[in-house]
């Protein structure tokens, strides 16, 4: 039985509020083809297959990404859990991480939706990956989610709370 060394797991949590319904948020974010829209252009994100049907548990989506030094990498994610209008989870099956587990949660709030992303990841290469994470990877992951938040504000408007 293998075990995971949790001291090398990294977690990013982001909460975003948007002035749209849970239904509208779910329709947009549960469609894999929209991932390209909210990914920074420099990532060279290209969907290869799997994004042409509605999301379902067990779905595999294949991408190419160019996260560092212009080197394209294959990335395959599997949708492992789906609770309609509440949450879904994607996990990397092939790609640059030893572990990538991304939870997407949706909750109705007054005049909008609160979305929570929780990304748990571990780098490959053992001790070397652990050393590189704060210098290279952490900033990139945060930059991607900062871009997403900015793009979501452009697409859906800024949440103003109770009006």
């Amino acid at each position: 039985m293998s075990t995971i060394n949790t001291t090398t797991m990294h977690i990013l949590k982001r909460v975003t509020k948007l002035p749209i319904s849970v239904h509208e948020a779910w329709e947009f974010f549960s469609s894999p083809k929209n991932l390209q829209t909210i990914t920074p252009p420099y990532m060279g994100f290209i969907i290869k297959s799997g994004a042409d049907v509605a999301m379902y548990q067990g779905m595999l989506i294949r991408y190419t990404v160019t996260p560092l030094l212009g080197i394209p990498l294959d990335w395959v994610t599997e949708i492992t859990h789906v609770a309609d209008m509440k949450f879904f989870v994607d996990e990397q099956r092939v790609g640059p991480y030893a572990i990538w587990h991304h939870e997407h949660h949706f909750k109705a709030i007054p005049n909008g939706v609160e979305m929570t992303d929780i990304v748990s990841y571990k780098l490959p290469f053992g001790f070397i990956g652990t050393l590189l994470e704060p210098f290279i990877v952490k900033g990139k992951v945060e930059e991607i989610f900062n871009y997403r938040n900015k793009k979501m504000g452009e697409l859906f408007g800024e949440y103003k709370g109770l009006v």
Side-chain angles (χ1 to χ4, degrees), residues 1 10 34 43 92 94 103 105 109 116 123 138 148 156-157 159-160:
M1 175 186 268
H10 305 282
N34 289 327
M43 290 288 293
Q92 174 194 282
V94 174
E103 301 173 34
H105 298 267
I109 58 174
T116 302
L123 298 180
K138 181 180 180 182
R148 284 185 181 184
F156 303 110
Y159 178 76
K160 298 190 183 349

Side-chain angles (χ1 to χ4, degrees), residues 76-136:
V76 177
T77 58
E78 178 182 357
I79 305 300
T80 59
H81 301 81
V82 178
D84 195 43
M85 304 288 172
K86 294 182 180 165
F87 75 91
F88 67 92
V89 176
D90 66 84
E91 295 183 4
Q92 174 194 282
R93 295 296 176 240
V94 174
Y97 294 89
I99 297 171
W100 176 271
H101 178 92
H102 184 181
E103 301 173 34
H104 309 252
H105 298 267
F106 301 83
K107 180 175 84 172
I109 58 174
N111 299 318
V113 63
E114 178 181 277
M115 299 181 316
T116 302
D117 287 285
I118 303 169
V119 179
S120 303
Y121 64 93
K122 179 179 177 181
L123 298 180
F125 312 120
F127 178 71
I128 294 170
T130 301
L131 284 177
L132 294 176
E133 194 276 339
F135 300 106
I136 298 173

